[in-house]
Amino acid sequence: MVDDQVDTYNSEILLMMKKNHEEWVSKKLDEPENRPLRITRRRENLPKYLHPIFTGKGLFDLVAQASGYLFDYEELETEDEVGLVSDFLQNLQDWGKVSDDLESGERVRASFTLQQELERLRIAGFCVFGASETRYIEGGTSSERTPFSTAIVKVMRQDSPDIYKPENQSEAEQGAAPNS
């Protein structure tokens, strides 16, 4: 192509194209490595147990302080259970996402709303457990780990065999294994 178009691709143009290409390669080689982003966990940050959550305020505080969420639930048996648990988890996530924008009074109302939802779950035979875990974002152009808090919430049946209930602990001290 170049040989057939000597007038178009004269020596000045070819030298300019070569210089531009060398500058582009040099710039690309000087850029930091763009590694894939990933989320990592540290053993020391893993909660030993998920603790029972009895109040809407406690639940709101857990999700309001988090940057990410890990929600789980036991197998559901009826459409009513699906509706109850899915609405609860979606509302909880929504409150967590908007929590930074809420004023004091709105935070109180959010906590009260969550308290009512906890009561509906309790009446239906469910209980809620939760904990916080610090995870890390790694990769991209940064060599640093960026910590972020993750709210872990699990809805379980009150009679679930996965709930840890030692005889010498009160109901408030009992918990659920985090990976159950």
Side-chain angles (χ1 to χ4, degrees), residues 63-133:
V63 296
Q65 296 168 6
S67 299
Y69 313 99
L70 175 62
F71 295 154
D72 197 7
Y73 56 91
E74 291 190 315
E75 194 68 36
L76 304 173
E77 299 172 358
T78 68
E79 285 290 326
D80 288 342
E81 288 181 352
V82 169
L84 183 67
V85 172
S86 65
D87 288 350
F88 168 73
L89 292 175
Q90 186 61 58
N91 290 339
L92 186 59
Q93 183 174 344
D94 292 345
W95 283 121
K97 286 181 177 180
V98 301
S99 62
D100 287 342
D101 298 327
L102 298 179
E103 295 190 17
S104 299
E106 294 168 320
R107 294 171 82 83
V108 171
R109 291 187 194 289
S111 296
F112 182 75
T113 300
L114 289 172
Q115 181 67 43
Q116 291 176 317
E117 291 191 44
L118 284 172
E119 182 62 17
R120 283 192 287 277
L121 285 167
R122 187 192 64 74
I123 290 169
F126 292 96
C127 49
V128 176
F129 292 85
S132 181
E133 175 190 349

Side-chain angles (χ1 to χ4, degrees), residues 22-85:
E22 289 172 346
E23 287 174 2
W24 177 83
V25 169
S26 178
K27 180 180 172 189
K28 287 294 179 189
L29 291 174
D30 288 342
E31 288 180 1
E33 182 181 347
N34 194 2
R35 298 172 297 144
L37 287 175
R38 65 184 188 144
I39 297 173
T40 60
R41 302 170 82 183
R42 291 195 174 189
R43 186 176 308 276
E44 64 268 17
N45 293 344
L46 298 176
K48 187 172 182 180
Y49 296 102
L50 301 181
H51 301 282
I53 299 176
F54 298 111
T55 68
K57 183 179 181 326
L59 191 55
F60 179 80
D61 289 346
L62 178 65
V63 296
Q65 296 168 6
S67 299
Y69 313 99
L70 175 62
F71 295 154
D72 197 7
Y73 56 91
E74 291 190 315
E75 194 68 36
L76 304 173
E77 299 172 358
T78 68
E79 285 290 326
D80 288 342
E81 288 181 352
V82 169
L84 183 67
V85 172

Side-chain angles (χ1 to χ4, degrees), residues 8-19:
T8 303
Y9 293 102
N10 60 37
S11 62
E12 287 179 24
I13 297 291
L14 292 174
L15 288 172
M16 185 178 68
M17 289 173 66
K18 178 182 177 190
K19 181 179 179 253

Side-chain angles (χ1 to χ4, degrees), residues 119-174:
E119 182 62 17
R120 283 192 287 277
L121 285 167
R122 187 192 64 74
I123 290 169
F126 292 96
C127 49
V128 176
F129 292 85
S132 181
E133 175 190 349
T134 300
R135 296 181 179 190
Y136 298 88
I137 298 174
E138 298 177 344
T141 58
S142 174
S143 61
E144 297 180 22
R145 291 182 176 150
T146 304
F148 73 96
S149 177
T150 302
I152 303 169
V153 176
K154 184 163 186 177
V155 179
M156 300 179 74
R157 295 188 184 284
Q158 292 171 358
D159 60 356
S160 173
D162 290 334
I163 297 176
Y164 177 63
K165 298 180 181 180
E167 293 179 26
N168 61 348
Q169 283 188 324
S170 71
E171 184 176 299
E173 297 172 319
Q174 296 169 6

